[in-house]
Amino acid sequence: MQRSITKSTTVVFILTTISSILGFVRESYIAFLFGATGLTDAFYIALIFPDTIVGLIQSALTYSLVPVLKAERRKDDKSASTLIYVILLLSMVIFTIMTIIAFLFRNPLVSLFSPGFSKREHLIAVQLLSVMIVGVVFTGISGVLSGVNNAFEEFTFPAAVGVVYNVILISTSIILAPVLGIRSLAFGFLIGVFGKLIIQFVPVIRYRYLSKRQSIWHPSVPTVARLMPPILISSGLGTINLIIDRVLASGLPNGYISDLTYASKIGLMPAILVGGSLATTLYNQFVSNILDNNFVQLQKNLVKATTWVVFISIVIGGIFILFSSDIIYLLFRHGAFTLKDVAITATPLIIYGVFQPFYILIPILDRVFYAAKKNRSVMMRSLLAVGVNILVSVLTVHRLGIKGLVLGNGLAQVVAVVMLCTAIFKWTRISYVRIMLQAFRRGGIPGILVFCSFGASLCITRTWGEGSLKLLVFQGMIALGFGVLFLTIYTFVDGKSDISIFLRKILGVKRIT
């Protein structure tokens, strides 16, 4: 079941990319059906607890289970099997209790997350939450199974859950929206998270991770529980910031929460695709490097990962900055989504483009500390970053609207990255400044070349006019062609950087000496 880092990362990246594309289709279809209105605002507020908060707990459970379960596997397969059984049993009980409590207090929950809602929006959000709350149990158990599969180095099925979820939610919306309206999204969510749970059971059954006779307790359960709280807070920095943004945006005009959600879906995609894929497959390597006290290899892994982060963040950030309005127009401008919504949503996407390197680095740096079980220090630094987001957002939301919220979120990522890099240096004496310089030399130069090529194509094609869908697509193809041309030339003259070697293999060319 062992796989190379490259192969595993590729599989995770492809599945995550498909999931993200389907996510755009999902959001685009929701925008087509309901636009950016009080209805969609109510849905996204109702989504916070069963999806965002419980998903955060699921993530913490996954990453706290992996190192403990791997240690148990080294001791005894039966012990590992027992741990899986006990964690599954406890999760079912705990998440069932959470579901009952959340259902009983669904009115206060909605009020907590949307203090600026009208009575009508509040009532719709409560009705949606009443349906979606059942998915808490499915999401929680899915988190356990994700940790189990990752510990056994089975990355395919955990990465495929997003594909299953989006396909089900889109299909359910198409079928039920004409009859149930906005409630179709709630039922689609519920069926989707159940599908995520079912697909995670496939490798568990196939490889028989669970034996028939099991104990109802395992001595490693307290260790998993002890690791969870700091991971819950530190890994949840982005999620907590998004929740804060939605709470503050609830006091803005109708539709602003939806506009913010659409912009964040696109702006955070590279962090999920690139940062998440690299972090998922490098996690086991980080654990081995730290257990062996091999900080030289740890530094090499960080340099390679950061090189790709720098290159991709410059390219993607450039696309967001230069083509923000075009992206929003192509993805969402149809149905009830107006030109005003396009303008409101496009500006935050530019801000996301500026902060791309920090968003993508966060999941990778977090995994280094999770691997070393240095979770409490990360938790404190993450709390400080959340404080920065709250401060900036509160000061700017009334003047800048959702642009101020995205700005606060981006500055929070900067604070988090700086603190994590400082902590790495104090702990390992690995200078992240030196890593960044190496990464910029290897990945920054080709990234800037691509960015400049996009800018050149934009200057040329903008003179042809704008507004036509076909013209926008054609302009995008021209920009892509410029980027590929500049990058191809670079691969001929560059040295032995990972990016150049990778590109030369794809293009089948050799370096000019």
Side-chain angles (χ1 to χ4, degrees), residues 270 274-275 278 302-319 353-362 364 417 421 432-451 487 490 499:
V274 182
L278 285 171
L302 287 173
V303 169
K304 289 182 179 180
T306 307
T307 298
W308 281 104
V309 168
V310 169
F311 171 70
I312 294 175
S313 63
I314 292 176
V315 173
I316 298 297
I319 293 174
V354 173
F355 292 104
Q356 275 307 300
F358 304 97
Y359 280 108
I360 299 176
L361 269 176
I362 284 289
I364 297 171
V417 167
C421 292
Y432 220 91
V433 173
R434 185 175 300 172
I435 289 176
M436 286 298 297
L437 289 174
Q438 293 181 45
F440 183 81
R441 179 173 57 83
R442 299 177 181 182
I445 295 176
I448 291 174
L449 285 175
V450 175
F451 179 86
L487 206 54
Y490 177 78
I499 293 174

Side-chain angles (χ1 to χ4, degrees), residues 8-68:
S8 298
T9 304
T10 302
V11 170
V12 173
F13 179 81
I14 291 173
L15 288 172
T16 308
T17 301
I18 296 172
S19 175
S20 296
I21 293 172
L22 289 172
F24 286 138
V25 174
R26 181 195 71 217
E27 298 298 335
S28 182
Y29 188 66
I30 292 174
F32 172 77
L33 290 175
F34 308 106
T37 62
L39 288 175
T40 51
D41 285 353
F43 170 69
Y44 288 120
I45 287 296
L47 199 63
I48 288 178
F49 181 78
D51 182 61
T52 308
I53 293 181
V54 176
L56 185 59
I57 298 173
Q58 170 202 8
S59 176
L61 182 56
T62 298
Y63 290 115
S64 60
L65 181 59
V66 170
V68 178

Side-chain angles (χ1 to χ4, degrees), residues 1 28 30 93 152 172 177 185 196 264 291 325 372 391 404 430 437 470 477 503:
M1 203 175 293
S28 182
I30 292 174
V93 173
F152 282 83
T172 306
L185 301 182
K196 290 166 63 175
S264 65
L291 287 176
S325 296
L391 177 63
I430 295 176
L437 289 174
K470 292 182 178 179
M477 293 175 64
L503 292 174

Side-chain angles (χ1 to χ4, degrees), residues 17-227:
T17 301
I18 296 172
S19 175
S20 296
I21 293 172
L22 289 172
F24 286 138
V25 174
R26 181 195 71 217
E27 298 298 335
S28 182
Y29 188 66
I30 292 174
F32 172 77
L33 290 175
F34 308 106
T37 62
L39 288 175
T40 51
D41 285 353
F43 170 69
Y44 288 120
I45 287 296
L47 199 63
I48 288 178
F49 181 78
D51 182 61
T52 308
I53 293 181
V54 176
L56 185 59
I57 298 173
Q58 170 202 8
S59 176
L61 182 56
T62 298
Y63 290 115
S64 60
L65 181 59
V66 170
V68 178
L69 186 56
K70 286 179 72 70
E72 291 299 325
R73 285 188 64 198
R74 292 184 178 183
K75 297 177 184 177
D76 181 22
D77 286 340
K78 184 178 180 180
S79 178
S81 178
T82 301
L83 177 60
I84 296 171
Y85 175 82
V86 173
I87 294 293
L88 278 172
L89 184 63
L90 289 174
S91 297
M92 290 178 63
V93 173
I94 293 172
F95 283 105
T96 299
I97 294 174
M98 285 179 60
T99 301
I100 295 172
I101 294 174
F103 182 81
L104 295 175
F105 292 94
R106 58 194 184 280
N107 269 291
L109 271 176
V110 171
S111 298
L112 176 65
F113 296 131
S114 56
F117 264 13
S118 65
K119 290 184 179 180
R120 177 177 177 272
E121 292 167 335
H122 177 90
L123 179 60
I124 294 172
V126 170
Q127 292 173 343
L128 296 175
L129 182 58
S130 299
V131 175
M132 297 159 67
I133 203 71
V134 181
V136 168
V137 177
F138 303 149
T139 302
I141 298 175
S142 180
V144 177
L145 297 178
S146 178
V148 171
N149 290 326
N150 277 292
F152 282 83
E153 299 185 15
E154 175 53 71
F155 301 113
T156 302
F157 287 91
V161 295
V163 177
V164 174
Y165 170 77
N166 284 315
V167 168
I168 291 176
L169 184 53
I170 294 169
S171 303
T172 306
S173 301
I174 293 173
I175 297 170
L176 298 180
V179 180
L180 299 178
I182 194 69
R183 288 184 297 165
S184 63
L185 301 182
F187 286 103
F189 166 81
L190 184 60
I191 301 172
V193 293
F194 181 72
K196 290 166 63 175
L197 172 63
I198 294 301
I199 195 173
Q200 295 257 45
F201 264 114
V202 174
V204 174
I205 296 173
R206 177 187 296 175
Y207 299 115
R208 298 181 180 179
Y209 297 154
L210 289 170
S211 58
K212 294 182 179 180
R213 296 183 180 180
Q214 300 289 352
S215 171
I216 60 173
W217 183 250
H218 192 284
S220 292
V221 170
T223 303
V224 177
R226 187 173 63 253
L227 292 174

